Amino acid sequence: MSRTAVVTGASSGIGAATARRLAEAGYRVVLAARRADRIESLAAELRGRGADVVVQPLDVTDRAAVEAFAASLDRVDVLVNNAGGAIGADYVEQAGPDDWRAMYDVNVLGVLNVTQTLLPALRTSGDGTVVVVSSTAGHGAYEGGGGYVAAKHGAHAIAATLRLELCGDPIRVIEIAPGMVRTDEFALNRFGGDESRAAAVYQGVAEPLTADDVADTIAWAVTRPSHVNIDLLVVRPRAQAAQHKVHREG
Ligand code: NDP
């Protein structure tokens, strides 16, 4: 059976692009996300190109569902923890605890749930890889980022801790920390569907990263020889020299 890669949040953006890249690299891909119709149509596209694809509707915050998902898989070589996102851009003084809880749930506990339940299969593979898609928000703070920054620091902490704990096991732990990526839904979801607030995030930035740019780095890191562990890869657009240093034209 082919080497198998599980991609969470495969229904859009970076996750869908990563599934495309890993399918191209010869992996059987398992597409996991809540929107079944989206992963079904991606699966149809990939199968049309000869890929072996499994579709698995999944909410990564639902522990029982994740356990059932893990039990249903016969082989896992690569896990890409990509499901996640931001809610709002409120200052700490005004932020809603429910938004913070929801961000912690998906960005931290989601990674914990899926990683923990798939670790036995990754170990059995004899050559496993865990990828955590964190963010530059996992490495520095910015105004209005509070809840997302806290959650992505949590995702970073999981990757860093797990790499230490698994030293000696045949499992690599890779963290990919993207800066500004223009995907169709990330900013829209962050701002509750407000298109003008979402567009303002990228306003004047000549070339934010695309989902495929990030997928390319993920596929590159995953396809290095087994003994090469890309611990942490920070990837930003040229126009973003740092979280606060973004070149905007016009
Ligand atoms: P998208 O909003 O396009 O993708 C988020 C994905 O996560 C969707 O496929 C969504 O699918 C899935 N998801 C959300 N909640 C759950 C859940 N509870 N269970 C399962 N799947 C879930 O955003 P991006 O592609 O831009 O972001 C992907 C990752 O990259 C995220 O972790 C994000 O935080 C991170 N990132 C994004 C950056 C950006 O600028 N865009 C920058 C740095 C990091 P569904 O709704 O179908 O469940």
Side-chain angles (χ1 to χ4, degrees):
M1 185 186 305
S2 330
R3 284 171 63 74
T4 299
V6 172
V7 181
T8 69
S11 59
S12 61
I14 295 167
T18 300
R20 288 189 180 95
R21 286 269 178 181
L22 293 178
E24 267 169 35
Y27 284 91
R28 177 174 73 138
V29 286
V30 180
L31 310 178
R34 292 168 302 179
R35 288 171 295 174
D37 56 329
R38 298 289 295 261
I39 46 178
E40 285 288 0
S41 70
L42 177 58
E45 174 200 318
L46 296 178
R47 286 181 187 128
R49 286 192 248 145
D52 188 359
V53 187
V54 176
V55 169
Q56 182 61 64
L58 181 70
D59 181 342
V60 296
T61 68
D62 180 341
R63 179 70 189 204
V66 173
E67 283 173 4
F69 167 64
S72 75
L73 297 173
D74 45 14
R75 175 172 182 167
V76 183
D77 300 273
V78 175
L79 162 62
V80 181
N81 284 296
N82 164 77
I87 304 172
D90 296 321
Y91 275 32
V92 170
E93 192 171 356
Q94 286 92 29
D98 287 345
D99 289 345
W100 282 50
R101 208 169 281 118
M103 286 189 275
Y104 193 83
D105 237 8
V106 67
N107 292 292
V108 183
L109 296 180
V111 174
L112 177 71
N113 287 337
V114 182
T115 305
Q116 221 172 42
T117 55
L118 292 187
L119 270 181
L122 286 157
R123 189 176 283 115
T124 302
S125 78
D127 183 13
T129 302
V130 176
V131 177
V132 175
V133 180
S134 62
S135 168
T136 48
H139 297 267
Y142 59 95
E143 303 94 322
Y148 185 58
V149 163
K152 286 302 193 182
H153 273 72
H156 162 66
I158 293 177
T161 308
L162 196 59
R163 193 177 306 113
L164 297 171
E165 291 173 353
L166 293 178
C167 185
D169 275 300
I171 304 176
R172 297 181 294 177
V173 181
I174 296 170
E175 178 184 351
I176 305 289
M180 184 188 286
V181 190
R182 179 155 48 197
T183 53
D184 293 339
E185 300 185 4
F186 177 83
L188 260 187
N189 287 338
R190 179 170 207 164
F191 296 117
D194 184 331
E195 291 185 7
S196 61
R197 281 187 84 189
V201 172
Y202 310 106
Q203 192 168 10
V205 180
E207 285 179 292
L209 296 177
T210 65
D212 187 57
D213 292 328
V214 180
D216 182 33
T217 67
I218 294 171
W220 174 79
V222 166
T223 55
R224 293 313 85 209
S226 308
H227 66 288
V228 178
N229 197 118
I230 307 297
D231 285 10
L232 167 65
L233 197 155
V234 177
V235 51
R236 303 182 202 263
R238 187 173 56 191
Q240 186 184 34
Q243 205 80 353
H244 281 87
K245 178 82 178 167
V246 179
H247 178 70
R248 296 181 193 270
E249 287 164 5

